[in-house]
Amino acid sequence: MKIETKLLRPAVNAAKKLSCGRTTLPILSHFLLDGTDGALNLCATDIDQFSEAVVEKQAGNLPRLCIPAKPFTFLVDSAGETIDLESTDGKNLIVKSDGWSRRMSTLPAAEFVPRPDVKGMKQQAVPAHLLADAIKAVKWAGDENPTDQRFMKTLILIEMGAKTLKVSATQGSVFAQCSQKLICSDLKWCLPIKSADLFCQALRGEDVQLLHSDKRIAVVHSTGFFSSALSTEMWPEYKQTFAGERVSIGSVAVKPLLAALERAVTVYQTD
């Protein structure tokens, strides 16, 4: 199968967020490639989350292969304008581009975690782009590696109801919330912060369907699929994000504040 690198690279960069971390299960550090129908499907999972990207119809076919994520990501980043993927025995993958060739061993594709079943899930009617914008607006307040030990798993809270969509994020000492006027049914979802980027990317696809159950959410769109388990962690009380018993809230002009912050950061970095 011959693929334009510019089409494959975004799919790989998105998938590596799930499969290039540390894990005790070897299969979770692998991508699943499936080019049996003329398009290339690239899947990644960490069990809680599952991501699938479809690279538009390509020349040739490729059997289902479970390949190591980190080496494949490096090869795709190093490739030229096109990249050739070959497998003669269904057990090894040969990657070629710009005169170089690399052979990669694989794991049995049957061992890869199956895609979550969306059968029976309810469809939520909400403008996908509004939800993606709201998540992006508050994501900065979360942290995948929080220093506050009370919040080892930072979360994003999505609340719908009373003609309002609210999305909140916190890492303990910082809290952010974005509200949008929206007619929607009453729902509350609590997601791990690591789901935010892939969730937003899926929401910005075409022909988006947002599905949910008591334990998972899923986004189905024309060029891929994303699903995440809902978090069982308790969302912290708003008052816990503040130090002390009394809080004074005032207003300040934005430009002078930014200028002061820039000067302070400069001094901090110099020291």
Side-chain angles (χ1 to χ4, degrees), residues 4-6 9 76 78-83 97-98 100:
E4 291 185 56
T5 307
K6 67 179 182 181
R9 189 171 287 143
V76 172
S78 306
E81 292 185 1
T82 61
I83 186 168
S97 183
D98 283 358
W100 54 259

Side-chain angles (χ1 to χ4, degrees), residues 14 17-18 45-49 139 142-144 153-156 191-200 226 228-229:
K17 297 176 182 178
L18 296 183
T45 184
D46 64 358
I47 295 181
D48 286 338
Q49 301 177 93
K139 182 181 175 294
D143 188 348
E144 294 186 20
K153 292 185 178 180
T154 55
L155 307 169
I156 285 180
L191 299 173
I193 194 74
K194 64 180 182 179
S195 297
D197 288 336
L198 288 170
F199 190 33
C200 287
F226 174 74
S228 174

Side-chain angles (χ1 to χ4, degrees), residues 135-174:
I135 293 173
K136 183 179 179 180
V138 303
K139 182 181 175 294
W140 63 271
D143 188 348
E144 294 186 20
N145 299 291
T147 56
D148 191 327
Q149 297 302 307
R150 294 177 302 164
F151 303 102
M152 290 306 294
K153 292 185 178 180
T154 55
L155 307 169
I156 285 180
L157 179 66
I158 300 172
E159 299 173 283
M160 302 181 196
K163 298 182 179 180
T164 303
L165 165 67
K166 291 182 180 179
V167 180
S168 311
T170 185
Q171 58 170 322
S173 58
V174 179

Side-chain angles (χ1 to χ4, degrees), residues 1-12 40 55-59 72 76 79-85 96-97:
M1 177 175 282
K2 182 183 291 289
I3 304 175
E4 291 185 56
T5 307
K6 67 179 182 181
L7 299 178
L8 180 60
R9 189 171 287 143
V12 171
L40 181 67
V55 183
E56 63 186 49
K57 192 168 180 63
Q58 304 296 321
F72 186 70
V76 172
E81 292 185 1
T82 61
I83 186 168
D84 291 338
L85 305 176
K96 298 179 180 179
S97 183

Side-chain angles (χ1 to χ4, degrees), residues 8 21 23-24 36 38-39 45 70 75 78 113 130 133 175 218 236 243 255:
L8 180 60
T23 177
T24 56
T36 55
T45 184
K70 280 187 177 180
L75 293 178
S78 306
V113 178
L130 285 183
D133 289 345
F175 178 92
K255 289 185 178 179

Side-chain angles (χ1 to χ4, degrees), residues 195-239:
S195 297
D197 288 336
L198 288 170
F199 190 33
C200 287
Q201 184 175 340
L203 288 170
R204 296 188 188 282
E206 297 182 2
D207 302 323
V208 170
Q209 285 185 307
L210 180 58
L211 308 172
H212 67 95
S213 66
D214 293 338
K215 296 182 178 180
R216 299 193 72 89
I217 60 170
V219 181
V220 182
H221 56 99
S222 58
T223 57
F225 171 87
F226 174 74
S227 178
S228 174
L230 296 175
S231 177
T232 57
E233 298 288 314
M234 293 297 292
W235 177 258
E237 292 292 334
Y238 183 87
K239 62 184 180 182

